Amino acid sequence: MVRVVFFSSDLTETAQMRRIRSFDQAGYGVASVSMRKTRAGSGASVDWPDLSLGEIGEQQLGQRLRLILLGLPQIWSGRRHFDAADIFIARNIDMMVLAWLVRMMLWARLPIVYECLDIHGLFTAPGYRAAIARWVERRMLGRVGLLVLSSPGFANHYFKAQQGFSGPWYLLENKIWFADQPLLRTDRKVRQRGASDPLVLGWVGAIRCGPSLEILLDAASRANGQLKVLIRGVIHRHALTDFDARIAAHPQVTYEGPYDYPDGLADVYGACDLVWAQDLWQAGANSDWLLPNRIYEASWFGCPSVAVAGTQTAIKVKELELGIVVEKANGKVLWDRLRGLDRAQLDRLQKSVLDCPDSALCMTRADIDGLVNAALPAARNTAQ
């Protein structure tokens, strides 16, 4: 059995938990070295061996680096945690540095995989701090065996164009993941919308994008009751400090709390006619390059996505016919586009989404095996 140790920057984040569980359920032995953010759920337990380095706050890179340094003696004393490891997978630059330090401490020769699902604003900002961060990352990229990206936009616009990276990389999109019992697309819940009912636009997942909130509130205010914005997920209140007060002023905008993953997805997307898929809070950089997991989730359940032109999300939506693309990121343009959709057009959009192949939306064992195959010698690739 191939054994994988994950270096996780935040084990309270659903996506990071989901990634580790997907390898476990695909038949690989898993363990983790982790930090946790001080938010609700930070005390949640995991069902694999985990070496915890402590808790951190939001947007506190200095504290994360401090925990890494303070955690090295703890890692050394618990070095049996790494027995029989075949591969390290590190998410984010700080975890990549830690994985490299651990490998040196253990005199190990196993490969390090650097998994990047976002390009942190630190690396794309102007100034000397960003230049130093990019320099450190370039040095570390020369020490890893494989770069894993969730979007080709990261390779094209950042790692190749800005970092000069020419090494091997593997595309592992942030698709929906099911274990042994997938939720069937044929079991989707379709919203029964009457002729006079408002159009329901969902905003689902990690709710942290201030520009998206502004656009959705503006669109709802222009619609004269013909548009309802339904928000579901976890609110990142450090980014949206006045979220409750803002939506309270808009009766057509409601927040109905978090949801269970994956069992709650059918209800969430079944309550929407379309879903706002675009990330905008790092426009011109990360937000333009990423592929959000909500486009895969929404499409699995037949809910068309709305993306903004000029982004990797829009490219994906157009390529697979997963929804509509608006030309500009503002409330007027959004509502002008939505108000022209009738029931027949929505039905056609939903049919197109449901016609998309399952493999384009749902991560499979083959996707995971492909990553391991790219990182390890062929003779050691089979999980049992």
Side-chain angles (χ1 to χ4, degrees), residues 176-382:
I176 191 169
W177 167 259
F178 298 117
D180 297 328
Q181 298 294 326
L183 299 175
L184 300 178
R185 300 179 76 185
T186 53
D187 292 339
R188 69 187 182 97
K189 300 182 179 181
V190 180
R191 177 174 178 262
Q192 300 300 318
R193 180 184 172 216
S196 60
D197 291 343
L199 188 76
V200 177
L201 178 63
W203 187 22
V204 180
I207 308 300
R208 65 182 179 183
C209 178
S212 289
L213 180 62
E214 293 291 337
I215 289 169
L216 296 176
L217 293 178
D218 184 33
S221 68
R222 294 173 181 274
N224 295 320
Q226 298 177 61
L227 175 68
K228 177 181 178 181
V229 176
L230 175 61
I231 304 174
R232 295 293 306 271
V234 176
I235 309 299
H236 288 235
R237 296 187 181 276
H238 68 284
L240 302 176
T241 56
D242 58 350
F243 174 80
D244 295 312
R246 294 298 307 282
I247 68 168
H250 296 266
Q252 289 298 101
V253 180
T254 59
Y255 172 57
E256 297 187 4
Y259 52 90
D260 292 331
Y261 183 95
D263 295 336
L265 292 176
D267 287 332
V268 168
Y269 291 109
C272 304
D273 294 303
L274 303 103
V275 64
W276 176 255
Q278 192 64 59
D279 186 295
L280 295 166
W281 72 299
Q282 293 172 308
N286 184 64
S287 293
D288 290 0
W289 308 332
L290 59 74
L291 289 174
N293 69 310
R294 61 174 64 95
I295 63 174
Y296 307 102
E297 294 177 356
S299 300
W300 186 265
F301 294 104
C303 186
S305 295
V306 181
V308 176
T311 66
Q312 195 71 36
T313 304
I315 292 172
K316 192 74 169 181
V317 167
K318 283 185 176 179
E319 175 191 355
L320 298 182
E321 298 182 350
L322 300 180
I324 63 174
V325 174
V326 295
E327 291 305 311
K328 293 183 179 179
N330 68 58
K332 180 181 184 303
V333 171
L334 174 61
W335 174 237
D336 285 346
R337 181 70 176 88
L338 294 180
R339 72 195 304 174
L341 293 175
D342 58 26
R343 184 71 261 174
Q345 290 172 311
L346 279 173
D347 288 344
R348 286 195 293 271
L349 285 171
Q350 290 172 348
K351 182 181 184 304
S352 175
V353 169
L354 285 171
D355 286 342
C356 182
D358 289 2
S359 59
L361 306 175
C362 184
M363 190 167 68
T364 66
R365 166 69 185 268
D367 294 322
I368 298 172
D369 289 345
L371 186 159
V372 176
N373 290 342
L376 288 179
R380 304 176 64 201
N381 280 352
T382 303

Side-chain angles (χ1 to χ4, degrees), residues 33-53:
V33 178
S34 71
M35 291 183 283
R36 297 168 183 245
K37 289 188 177 177
T38 51
R39 63 165 74 103
S42 62
S45 61
V46 298
D47 50 7
W48 58 81
D50 176 58
L51 183 61
S52 177
L53 301 183

Side-chain angles (χ1 to χ4, degrees), residues 123-124 134 138 156-165 289:
F123 295 88
T124 56
R134 288 192 298 270
R138 283 195 298 272
N156 297 331
H157 299 289
Y158 177 74
F159 284 104
K160 292 179 181 178
Q162 298 187 39
Q163 292 292 63
F165 179 74
W289 308 332

Side-chain angles (χ1 to χ4, degrees), residues 9-10 13-16 18-19 37 39 58-59 61 64 90-96 114-124 133-134 137 141 147-155 157-159 162-163 170-174 206 208-209 236 277-283 285-294 296 312-313:
S9 57
D10 179 17
E13 185 187 34
T14 302
Q16 297 197 32
R18 186 164 63 238
R19 173 69 80 240
K37 289 188 177 177
R39 63 165 74 103
E58 298 283 356
Q59 305 293 322
L61 182 59
R64 287 161 64 165
R91 178 174 291 198
N92 298 336
I93 181 66
D94 52 346
M95 293 292 101
M96 179 169 65
Y114 177 30
E115 183 180 22
C116 182
L117 275 75
D118 291 287
I119 307 299
H120 194 284
L122 173 64
F123 295 88
T124 56
R134 288 192 298 270
E137 185 178 56
L141 282 168
L147 174 64
V148 173
L149 304 175
S150 60
S151 169
F154 296 149
H157 299 289
Y158 177 74
F159 284 104
Q162 298 187 39
Q163 292 292 63
Y170 182 82
L171 180 64
L172 187 65
E173 295 177 60
N174 198 15
R208 65 182 179 183
C209 178
H236 288 235
Q278 192 64 59
D279 186 295
L280 295 166
W281 72 299
Q282 293 172 308
N286 184 64
S287 293
D288 290 0
W289 308 332
L290 59 74
L291 289 174
N293 69 310
R294 61 174 64 95
Y296 307 102
Q312 195 71 36
T313 304

